[in-house]
Amino acid sequence: MLVLSRKVNESIQIGDNVQITILETRKGNVRIGIAAPRDIQISRPEKAPKTLAPEVSTQEGPRENSKYSLSFGGSIS
């Protein structure tokens, strides 16, 4: 496991097309934003169902990049 320290508005790049940005930290929680192509599934392991169904989209056409915001308990040093 790679452990990194980041401050608010700093990012982590994963490969060529996934970027994670620290949006906010408060009261021991961290909010992150994830920019990734639509075909990359992003989920929280504690909320993921045992079997994953394909994502159904109501949007027309392909989506190049998307921003997701996840909130999780933890701390960044």
Side-chain angles (χ1 to χ4, degrees):
M1 176 188 307
L2 173 63
V3 178
L4 300 172
S5 297
R6 300 279 76 196
K7 294 178 183 176
V8 173
N9 294 323
E10 291 184 337
S11 298
I12 298 166
Q13 186 75 34
I14 300 175
D16 292 332
N17 55 3
V18 177
Q19 184 174 13
I20 299 172
T21 303
I22 306 304
L23 301 175
E24 178 182 25
T25 61
R26 70 174 159 185
K27 298 182 182 180
N29 288 319
V30 177
R31 289 191 71 216
I32 62 171
I34 303 172
R38 184 175 182 85
D39 62 332
I40 295 179
Q41 183 174 1
I42 301 170
S43 63
R44 296 182 295 179
E46 71 277 8
K47 299 284 184 177
K50 301 253 185 248
T51 58
L52 298 175
E55 181 179 324
V56 177
S57 176
T58 58
Q59 296 179 345
E60 298 291 327
R63 181 175 73 189
E64 293 298 317
N65 284 308
S66 178
K67 287 234 179 202
Y68 296 88
S69 180
L70 300 177
S71 198
F72 65 93
S75 62
I76 295 181
S77 52

